[in-house]
Amino acid sequence: GMSNTVKYAASSIPAARIDWVDYAKGICIILVVMMHTVNGVEQVLDGMGWMHPVVDFARPFRIPDFFLVAGLFLGRSIHGPLSGYVDRKIVHFVYFYLLWLTLQFPVLHFDWMVEHPGYFVKMWLFSLVEPSNSLWFVHMLAVFYVVTRLLRNVPIWIVFAGAFILQSLYQLVIIDTGWGIIDRFCNRYVYFFLGYAFAPQIFQFAERAAKAPLIWLAGLMVWAVVNWWAVTLDLHEQVITSFVFGMAGATAVCVVSSLLTRFKAADFLRYCGQHSIVIYLTYVFPLVLMERFVLPKFGAPFGDIGLASALGLILAVGLPLMFHALIRGTALNFLYVRPKWAGLTAKRSGKGRASLSAE
C-alpha cells in the first residue's frame, strides 16, 4: 500500500539538521514579521513605503511555504508511539499558544483589561477556539498535527486530493464558515500535507538545486517575474492558481535556501530559522512599542515610511533574538523551552529546540 511507501520514505529523511531548512524557516519568519511590520507602520503613518511591494511580492507563498516547511520532518514521528506524538506535536504547541496568548493579550488589548475586565477574560477564552491575533499559526499547527496523525494510514493521494479540493472550495468561497479554524484549515492544509508526504522528494530536489546554482538562478529570475505578474493580477487569490503560485513560491524559497548554504554571509538567516519560534512569539512586543509610542511621537525617520518599516522589521526580528540570548538558561527559560511539568511523558527527549516546526 501507499502508506507503506510513506513509512519507508520517512527513513530516508536525513537525520542531520539540514541547513537549508533553517534558511527556509528564516526567510519565512522574516517575511511574516515583515508583513505585520509594514502593515502596522503604514497604518500609523498613513501612507505607503518602498517595502510595500516586497510584502506584496511574498503574498502568494509566504504562508504556504511556512506550512510546507513545518511538515517536512513529520514523517519521523507520525507512526511513533501516540503519547510521544501528542506530547511533542500537540501539547508542545498548546503550551506555547496558551502562554504567549496570556502574555500578549494585556499588551494588545490594554484598554479592554482596564475598562472591561470581564470582556477581556471572555475574549481570551474565545481565542482558544478562534485565534484572532498573529498566534493563529501555532494554534493551526496543533490542528494539522492531530488531523495528519488520524489520516496517517489513508493513501497519500486520497488525502492530497481531498486537501486540494478543500483548498479549491475555499478559493471559490463555497467554503466560507466565518470560523477561522475551519476556513484556514481548508485553505492551508494542502501545503502542510505536501511537506509531510513528499519530504524525501523535496530534500532530493533541494540537494540537486545546490549543485547547479547557475541554472537555478536563471530559473529564479523567471519565477520572480511570473510571481510578480501573478500578484498584480491577484492570481494568488483564485482557484487553482493560488495553489500553483503558492507551490512555485515555496519551491523558490527552497531553492534560494539551498543556494544560500554555500555562503557564510547568510548565517543570520539560519539563526533566525533555528529560533523561528522565538521571533514568532515575541515580535509583537517591539512592534506594539513602535506603533503606539515611537512612531506617533517621532514620525518616520527623514519622513521615509519605507525606512521606518525597515527599522521596525530589524527591531521586531532583532530584539526577540537578543532577549532570548539574554534569558537562555535563566529562570525565564520557560518562555521558549517547554518545562518538564508541561509535558505528557516524564522523560522529555532532547533539550527542546526553539524552532517553529517541532522536530
Side-chain angles (χ1 to χ4, degrees), residues 262-280:
R262 319 182 92 181
F263 305 105
K264 277 279 165 272
D267 262 1
F268 175 69
L269 270 181
R270 189 168 115 204
Y271 188 83
C272 287
Q274 285 170 341
H275 300 90
S276 53
I277 204 165
V278 170
I279 300 169
Y280 188 78

Side-chain angles (χ1 to χ4, degrees), residues 100-128 132:
W100 285 88
L101 178 69
T102 307
L103 292 171
Q104 288 186 12
F105 232 63
V107 175
L108 293 172
H109 307 296
F110 185 74
D111 42 347
W112 294 353
M113 188 174 67
V114 178
E115 293 157 31
H116 313 284
Y119 182 71
F120 177 83
V121 172
K122 190 173 104 176
M123 289 315 286
W124 183 91
L125 287 168
F126 186 54
S127 296
L128 304 185
S132 59

Side-chain angles (χ1 to χ4, degrees), residues 25 32 35 70 116 136 178 196 201 211 256 281 299 315 331 336:
K25 284 187 204 167
V32 167
M35 178 196 69
H116 313 284
W136 71 268
Y196 149 65
Q201 289 84 343
K211 287 179 184 141
V256 168
L281 296 172
L315 290 173
Y336 302 111

Side-chain angles (χ1 to χ4, degrees), residues 166 169-180 182-184 186:
L166 285 179
L169 292 174
Y170 174 84
Q171 294 295 341
L172 291 166
V173 203
I174 292 168
I175 291 180
D176 185 16
T177 64
W179 184 15
I182 303 285
D183 293 346
R184 283 181 181 134
C186 294

Side-chain angles (χ1 to χ4, degrees), residues 68 112 158 246-247 347:
L68 180 99
W112 294 353
I158 293 176
M247 284 310 297
K347 202 169 115 302

Side-chain angles (χ1 to χ4, degrees), residues 18-33:
I18 301 171
D19 273 355
W20 74 261
V21 176
D22 286 330
Y23 288 102
K25 284 187 204 167
I27 292 168
C28 287
I29 192 69
I30 287 170
L31 288 174
V32 167
V33 176

Side-chain angles (χ1 to χ4, degrees), residues 17 92 96 274-275 277 336-337 350-356 359:
R17 214 182 150 74
H92 181 81
F96 286 116
Q274 285 170 341
H275 300 90
I277 204 165
Y336 302 111
V337 179
K351 300 188 296 294
R353 260 215 181 276
S355 173
L356 251 181
E359 286 140 44

Side-chain angles (χ1 to χ4, degrees), residues 76-270:
R76 288 183 187 171
S77 55
I78 188 108
H79 296 282
L82 184 63
S83 65
Y85 184 85
V86 171
D87 178 59
R88 283 201 314 280
K89 298 285 188 260
I90 298 153
V91 177
H92 181 81
F93 291 108
V94 170
Y95 168 79
F96 286 116
Y97 183 73
L98 292 176
L99 172 64
W100 285 88
L101 178 69
T102 307
L103 292 171
Q104 288 186 12
F105 232 63
V107 175
L108 293 172
H109 307 296
F110 185 74
D111 42 347
W112 294 353
M113 188 174 67
V114 178
E115 293 157 31
H116 313 284
Y119 182 71
F120 177 83
V121 172
K122 190 173 104 176
M123 289 315 286
W124 183 91
L125 287 168
F126 186 54
S127 296
L128 304 185
V129 291
E130 180 64 301
S132 59
N133 58 354
S134 66
L135 289 172
W136 71 268
F137 188 84
V138 175
H139 192 284
M140 196 83 254
L141 275 179
V143 175
F144 283 173
Y145 283 123
V146 171
V147 171
T148 311
R149 175 82 187 199
L150 293 173
L151 297 175
R152 74 189 190 280
N153 292 322
V154 179
I156 57 173
W157 294 106
I158 293 176
V159 181
F160 173 63
F164 180 73
I165 290 165
L166 285 179
Q167 206 244 3
S168 301
L169 292 174
Y170 174 84
Q171 294 295 341
L172 291 166
V173 203
I174 292 168
I175 291 180
D176 185 16
T177 64
W179 184 15
I181 293 179
I182 303 285
D183 293 346
R184 283 181 181 134
F185 178 88
C186 294
N187 191 21
R188 306 298 191 190
Y189 183 63
V190 67
Y191 302 108
F192 179 83
F193 185 76
L194 266 169
Y196 149 65
F198 297 99
Q201 289 84 343
I202 294 167
F203 286 121
Q204 281 165 3
F205 170 78
E207 223 172 287
R208 281 209 297 273
K211 287 179 184 141
L214 291 174
I215 297 170
W216 283 104
L217 280 171
L220 284 169
M221 287 164 86
V222 174
W223 162 77
V225 173
V226 177
N227 184 73
W228 184 249
W229 169 78
V231 170
T232 54
L233 293 180
D234 263 350
L235 291 179
H236 61 287
E237 295 291 335
Q238 314 296 324
V239 68
I240 311 287
T241 50
S242 69
F243 175 74
V244 171
F245 286 103
M247 284 310 297
T251 305
V253 171
C254 293
V255 171
V256 168
S257 303
S258 55
L259 295 178
L260 283 175
T261 54
R262 319 182 92 181
F263 305 105
K264 277 279 165 272
D267 262 1
F268 175 69
L269 270 181
R270 189 168 115 204

